């Protein structure tokens, strides 16, 4: 359930033994409604912990510069430096119009929110191991715009189910290209790569290979 890129340093240095396989976490596509089109003024969405490493402050900047509304959904921090970050860099922008914060939401609300979004923003400031929210958005047909860190370049197929970029400016340009994305194709790609049956088959293949090696 992690990114292959996280293993890259060890593999490049020759550390570790055996064969490495990266198997992604699955998403139950039956839980998420595929939405083929959204309103022209559909908001951008940030969904996750509202902490600095997740990049909500960049999501705010991206939406502002792109002239789009932003819905932030996720719990506020309860400990550490992120409490101050939330108060100083997120709360002042929440106005109930341009930027809305819903707090934590349940799965049904998540399905509705992601399905109604123009795109999910994933401007992470760390090496995200996977980011199940990306697969959940894709299951709704919603493209993902994310920074090129951790698993993001492995999940996002640039120009197919979203766009990879390096900074706020690149993400703003990507927002301007969302019309190029076919949301039906986004859902189909999600089913092929992250559907639970597909992931089960990948695990079974890994186990079968391990058994063959043990048996010689």
């Amino acid at each position: 359930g992690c990114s292959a890129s996280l293993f890259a340093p060890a593999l490049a240095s020759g550390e570790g033994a055996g064969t490495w396989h990266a198997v992604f976490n699955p998403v139950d596509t039956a839980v998420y409604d595929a939405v083929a089109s959204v309103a022209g003024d559909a908001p951008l969405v940030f969904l996750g912990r509202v902490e600095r490493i997740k990049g909500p402050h960049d999501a705010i900047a991206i939406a502002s510069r792109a002239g789009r509304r932003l819905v932030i959904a996720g719990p506020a921090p309860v400990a550490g430096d992120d409490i101050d970050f939330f108060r100083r860099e997120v709360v002042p922008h929440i106005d109930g119009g341009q930027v809305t914060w819903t707090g934590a939401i349940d799965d049904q609300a998540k399905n509705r929110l992601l399905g109604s979004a123009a795109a999910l923003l994933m401007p992470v400031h760390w090496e995200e191991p996977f980011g199940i929210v990306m697969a959940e958005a894709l299951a709704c047909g919603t493209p993902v715009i994310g920074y090129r860190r951790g698993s993001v370049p492995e999940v996002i197929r640039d120009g197919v189910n979203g766009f990879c970029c390096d900074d706020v400016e690149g993400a703003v340009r990507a927002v301007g290209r969302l019309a190029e994305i076919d949301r039906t194709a986004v859902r189909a790609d999600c089913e092929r790569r992250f559907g639970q049956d597909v992931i089960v088959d990948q695990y079974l293949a890994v186990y079968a290979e391990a058994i063959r090696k043990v048996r010689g």
Side-chain angles (χ1 to χ4, degrees):
C2 332
S3 159
S5 64
L6 298 181
F7 302 138
L11 295 176
S13 67
E15 297 175 13
T19 302
W20 294 72
H21 298 277
V23 179
F24 290 124
N25 291 324
V27 61
D28 185 355
T29 53
V31 172
Y32 295 92
D33 298 323
V35 180
S37 63
V38 296
D41 64 347
L44 303 172
V45 165
F46 172 93
L47 177 57
R49 301 191 311 274
V50 191
E51 300 173 357
R52 182 179 294 278
I53 63 170
K54 294 290 190 175
H57 53 309
D58 276 16
I60 292 169
I62 293 164
S64 175
R65 297 184 194 183
R68 302 295 289 263
R69 291 181 295 119
L70 175 69
V71 178
I72 299 173
V78 296
D81 294 341
D82 279 310
I83 294 177
D84 186 60
F85 160 76
F86 178 68
R87 290 173 177 168
R88 289 178 177 271
E89 299 191 43
V90 177
V91 171
H93 298 280
I94 298 171
D95 58 9
Q98 174 68 25
V99 179
T100 302
W101 175 53
T102 69
I105 58 176
D106 61 22
D107 288 340
Q108 290 183 333
K110 185 190 300 184
N111 178 42
R112 292 192 298 271
L113 177 62
L114 290 173
S116 65
L120 172 74
L121 298 182
M122 197 76 177
V124 290
H125 282 241
W126 73 311
E127 307 311 318
E128 182 76 52
F130 178 63
I132 189 65
V133 66
M134 288 190 288
E136 292 168 338
L138 299 175
C140 294
T142 299
V144 179
I145 297 173
Y147 286 176
R148 210 181 313 272
R149 298 193 64 168
S151 68
V152 175
E154 296 171 59
V155 175
I156 297 177
R157 299 178 60 204
D158 205 52
V160 175
N161 64 0
F163 299 100
C164 281
C165 44
D166 298 305
D167 50 28
V168 168
E169 290 73 20
V172 172
R173 290 192 295 271
V175 171
R177 297 180 59 193
L178 285 173
E180 301 174 18
I181 303 293
D182 179 347
R183 291 177 67 103
T184 301
V186 172
R187 165 71 180 219
D189 181 72
C190 177
E191 292 174 345
R192 288 192 298 268
R193 298 171 63 218
F194 305 112
Q196 57 185 3
D197 291 343
V198 172
I199 301 303
V200 167
D201 287 344
Q202 290 180 7
Y203 271 112
L204 290 175
V206 171
Y207 299 151
E209 178 181 329
I211 291 170
R212 286 195 301 271
K213 289 183 176 180
V214 169
R215 290 176 175 174

